[in-house]
Amino acid sequence: MSSYAQSYRRAEEDPSGFWLEAASALAWDKQPTQGVDDSRAPLYSWFGDGTLNLSVSALDRHVAAGRGGQAALIYDSAVLGLKRSYSYSELLEQVAKTAGALAGLGVGVGDRVLLYMPMIPEAVIGMLACARLGAIHSVVFGGFAPRELASRIDDAAPAAILTATGGVEPNRRVEYLPTLAEALRLSEHTVPHVLVTPREGFATGLSDVDESVPGTRWHDAAALVSAAPAAPPAVVPSTHPLYILYTSGTTGAPKGVVRDTGGYGTALAWSMRNIYGVGPGQTMFTASDVGWVVGHSYIVYAPLLVGATTVLYEGKPVGTPDAGAFWRVAAEHGARALFTAPTALRAIRKADPQAELVGQYDLSELKAIFAAGERLDPDTAAWTAEVTGKPVIDNWWQTETGWPIAANPFGLDPQPIKLGSPTLPVPGYRVRILDAFGEQVSEPNAEGNIALELPLPPGALTTLWGNDERFVSSYLSAFPGYYASGDSGYLDEDGYVFVMGRTDDVINVSGHRLSTGAMEQVLASHPAVAECAVIGVNDPLKGQRPSGYVVLKSGVELSEEELAPQLIALVRKDIGPVADFKDVRVVAALPKTRSGKILRKTMRQIADGEDYQVPGTIEDASVLDTLIGVLRPARD
Ligand code: COA
Ligand code: AMP
């Protein structure tokens, strides 16, 4: 039996034993003796009697073990031409002092701290500083607009916010302070302290926002941190929330995924060695953003937990300055693993189809390229493998799970790659295909809902912030005894997982998960719009892109040319540039069922040129006939 099969079976037969053993990869204050706790099923938790501080596992113990001089974090900014390396000792000092600065403002165990940060070292330091204090961080991606930020502020009710004066996009500088001030004015919760890391070249500074929001004090983070004492690590229960990460659901209200401490740390440490094949003294380059789950897990926590070096890259796959950027960073810092989103690989291929730039760099240290965040299409996987000569490894997971559900166990026991599949279920995950009635589909290659048998392994979400009921109703009620992933797909005859798409109204644009429901809410707020639908249509570069269809209120005399830019601007203002909402059409009517449900799936199938069936419950089939001409061009 292969070592993968052995591990999988052990995790299945004795989950508590398997994961308690894996937990010894962390530095515990009190080593756990309890594995999974099912006393509150369907809510499960892990390692109930363990206590620890995760920043100790990520930093202090490596320094104590003699790794103090090794690079822990390498910041490489392609947009500013800056590079800076932090050794484990330096990173520990910065983290402890930042924690000291936060503690000086009254932040302590269980308090929430929101981060709205670009890809700079202070973002990683801020997250680890929260972990050190037992404060719960919540990072919000920089491409979100004030209203989205405000909804997260109100839900998490943070005691402090960490930010910077701005971020750098290739075509512009993004001023963070006006956005944040606007979000604070929109939110009901008052945040007493905002700590601002100053960056050169931004128009808005501290003096411009000072006193702009009643009840909020704005501090210079650099000054505060340099004057602060180093804070000791606060020991917390393993089940203590490490962070909240908001993700898109089907409605406009984002879901606050809650991650525990010891279970997450254990799962990440296991995955680094067994999936990504990166260990102490080796380098991982994860080209994502700290605002996404991939960034939380594989830029920040996992590499540091195993004593590796992590690369924090500020830039894009193309245009900063060219499509060789990832190869340059991987070569220069000797990365053993490169982890990115398929979109980035497609963007590189589009800009450098002959892969002329790959050959300019020495990629001999690089052992594999990992991709996640959206389906890795076979064509992109094959091209990347061919031009780099490296295995390209798809892995399927979600913000909710925090680490891969299905992957090729490259570090443990590489399995044959099947293009289009993220390979096999990871030990601890029992992946099942269920039909609409929740019955298990046992024949291979038959598509259905992908569900995970409960309990989930350590590391996966434990609940939604402050909302156990929504956790249960969103994920655990559809199929009792299972976690509903929201994805559809199948298992082939060898047990390989194939993930084909979402079963809900969540779409995936450039590896970013977005809610079409949230975009519909924004469109519906325009006074000219009577009703609307937003669907995700296939896009050769971005995977999907949102496409909106609006029906005007009767008597409104606006043309499509006048209205479309207004609606595009509205989505950008209310959700943010990350929504990438650029297509909107005015239509006479939307196709609906007799009960009034808009036939979004049928619309998407038509737009994607797929076969479709007109549901028998359609209210007026002629509406669909007139729409076909409008929908089809969306694909071209
Ligand atoms: N702050 C502010 N704005 C941001 C932002 C941030 N952190 N990140 C993106 N945006 C803006 C962009 O500037 C762009 O604005 P524009 O409409 O004014 O041009 C918009 O949001 C869309 O950006 P993006 O999704 O990056 O698209 P793009 O066309 O600029 O670039 C790619 C395309 C493929 C190069 C890019 O999407 C990419 O790097 N994808 C990889 C995604 C990834 O790593 N995901 C992580 C999941 S694992
Ligand atoms: P996010 O929570 O932003 O990471 O998005 C998770 C969703 O992205 C999943 O539910 C899938 O729909 C999709 N996804 C992520 N990784 C993959 C993958 N490797 N293959 C197919 N879909 C993926």
Side-chain angles (χ1 to χ4, degrees):
M1 192 186 280
S2 71
S3 42
Y4 158 76
Q6 272 170 2
S7 295
Y8 190 85
R9 189 196 275 185
R10 273 203 58 216
E12 195 171 31
E13 288 173 353
D14 176 20
S16 289
F18 182 86
W19 291 111
L20 280 167
E21 192 180 307
S24 62
L26 302 183
W28 295 85
D29 187 66
K30 179 180 178 304
Q31 184 91 23
T33 60
Q34 294 169 4
V36 67
D37 177 358
D38 57 8
S39 59
R40 293 181 64 227
L43 307 187
Y44 296 88
S45 62
W46 283 89
F47 309 140
D49 62 342
T51 61
L52 77 168
N53 182 285
L54 207 59
S55 79
V56 173
S57 287
L59 300 168
D60 306 57
R61 61 145 165 182
H62 300 313
V63 175
R67 289 195 177 276
Q70 181 200 309
L73 174 72
I74 297 173
Y75 167 57
D76 187 316
S77 173
V79 284
L80 296 177
L82 287 177
K83 279 172 216 167
R84 178 163 178 202
S85 175
Y86 292 73
S87 68
Y88 267 98
S89 297
E90 286 166 332
L91 192 61
L92 171 58
E93 188 192 346
Q94 287 305 307
V95 167
K97 283 171 76 71
T98 303
L102 284 166
L105 297 173
V107 176
V109 175
D111 287 334
R112 273 79 59 211
V113 176
L114 189 138
L115 283 84
Y116 187 60
M117 299 283 274
M119 288 285 284
I120 56 174
E122 288 77 2
V124 178
I125 292 167
M127 292 164 77
L128 292 163
C130 291
R132 194 161 190 86
L133 288 179
I136 303 165
H137 61 70
S138 187
V139 186
V140 179
F141 179 64
F144 280 116
R147 199 174 291 275
E148 290 288 321
L149 194 47
S151 74
R152 288 153 174 82
I153 292 172
D154 277 334
D155 196 66
I161 294 182
L162 301 180
T163 191
T165 43
V168 186
E169 283 295 292
N171 53 358
R172 69 204 146 92
R173 291 193 169 234
V174 185
E175 296 281 342
Y176 275 30
L177 298 191
T179 302
L180 185 52
E182 171 71 4
L184 288 166
R185 282 190 291 269
L186 287 171
S187 60
E188 281 173 21
H189 173 73
T190 301
V191 181
H193 301 288
V194 178
L195 284 74
V196 183
T197 297
R199 299 190 83 191
E200 266 177 43
F202 287 90
T204 317
L206 274 185
S207 55
D208 303 303
V209 283
D210 198 25
E211 295 181 19
S212 62
V213 184
T216 301
R217 281 186 60 202
W218 302 73
H219 308 266
D220 179 329
L224 218 56
V225 170
S226 73
V235 173
V236 295
S238 178
T239 51
H240 181 71
L242 177 69
Y243 65 76
I244 307 166
L245 181 55
Y246 288 91
T247 190
S248 300
T250 38
T251 67
K255 295 169 170 166
V257 164
V258 176
R259 192 86 61 213
D260 76 349
T261 302
Y264 181 56
T266 298
L268 291 185
W270 190 91
S271 71
M272 275 303 274
R273 203 170 287 278
N274 295 293
I275 297 177
Y276 301 100
V278 177
Q282 296 172 336
T283 301
M284 175 130 186
F285 168 28
T286 300
S288 177
D289 189 287
V290 289
W292 308 118
V293 70
V294 172
H296 280 63
S297 295
Y298 295 104
I299 295 175
V300 183
Y301 286 106
L304 299 176
L305 286 172
V306 299
T309 301
T310 186
V311 178
L312 182 74
Y313 172 69
E314 186 181 31
K316 299 274 171 176
V318 292
T320 58
D322 58 29
F326 281 9
W327 318 131
R328 179 205 43 95
V329 174
E332 213 169 289
H333 306 301
R336 188 175 168 85
L338 163 60
F339 188 172
T340 189
T343 307
L345 299 173
R346 289 195 295 269
I348 292 170
R349 181 185 186 183
K350 191 171 171 211
D352 182 18
Q354 303 310 321
E356 282 159 11
L357 296 168
V358 179
Q360 295 183 6
Y361 301 98
D362 174 6
L363 294 176
S364 52
E365 294 288 323
L366 189 66
K367 299 291 171 262
I369 297 171
F370 295 88
E374 56 172 317
R375 183 163 185 269
L376 175 62
D377 57 283
D379 206 29
T380 303
W383 178 83
T384 310
E386 190 192 323
V387 302
T388 60
K390 312 287 175 190
V392 178
I393 296 185
D394 188 5
N395 47 127
W396 168 58
W397 47 299
Q398 316 180 305
T399 304
E400 289 84 346
T401 64
W403 66 292
I405 308 165
N408 200 322
F410 180 72
L412 175 68
D413 176 16
Q415 301 291 306
I417 291 174
K418 290 194 191 185
L419 292 179
S421 166
T423 316
L424 293 160
V426 168
Y429 285 104
R430 286 161 299 157
V431 178
R432 307 285 182 251
I433 307 299
L434 305 182
D435 67 16
F437 305 101
E439 293 300 322
Q440 209 167 304
V441 178
S442 45
E443 65 271 27
N445 304 310
E447 192 167 336
N449 299 287
I450 313 185
L452 310 175
E453 215 171 301
L454 295 174
L456 298 175
L461 82 173
T462 50
T463 188
L464 295 178
W465 179 247
N467 206 336
D468 287 349
E469 293 89 54
R470 191 174 178 208
F471 173 49
V472 173
S473 65
S474 301
Y475 301 101
L476 309 179
S477 324
F479 308 118
Y482 298 87
Y483 165 90
S485 71
D487 283 319
S488 67
Y490 59 89
L491 300 172
D492 78 358
E493 49 290 339
D494 299 320
Y496 275 55
V497 181
F498 286 78
V499 183
M500 304 313 289
R502 296 285 304 186
T503 56
D504 56 16
D505 295 327
V506 166
I507 59 169
N508 205 310
V509 183
S510 299
H512 306 145
R513 175 165 153 188
L514 299 167
S515 158
T516 52
M519 293 184 217
E520 289 180 2
Q521 269 178 25
V522 175
L523 297 183
S525 72
H526 190 286
V529 173
E531 57 180 354
C532 60
V534 175
I535 56 173
V537 296
N538 285 340
D539 182 275
L541 176 65
K542 300 190 170 193
Q544 284 185 304
R545 71 193 143 84
S547 207
Y549 301 88
V550 299
V551 178
L552 299 186
K553 284 183 182 154
S554 62
V556 170
E557 296 279 320
L558 272 176
S559 68
E560 187 175 271
E561 289 69 35
E562 288 169 300
L563 183 61
Q566 293 179 24
L567 294 174
I568 290 167
L570 201 59
V571 174
R572 193 174 171 98
K573 177 174 98 38
D574 281 358
I575 297 180
V578 66
D580 218 7
F581 182 80
K582 288 177 180 145
D583 293 339
V584 61
R585 301 293 308 267
V586 174
V587 295
L590 292 167
K592 290 185 192 160
T593 61
R594 281 191 283 277
S595 60
K597 199 169 170 290
I598 297 171
L599 294 168
R600 292 181 183 80
K601 184 173 170 198
T602 315
M603 290 172 68
R604 186 189 54 69
Q605 286 170 325
I606 297 172
D608 285 343
E610 289 173 11
D611 292 341
Y612 65 95
Q613 275 189 334
V614 181
T617 53
I618 193 163
E619 187 187 34
D620 179 356
S622 69
V623 171
L624 202 56
D625 296 338
T626 26
L627 255 188
I628 286 176
V630 181
L631 284 166
R632 287 240 156 97
R635 190 163 45 106
D636 304 323

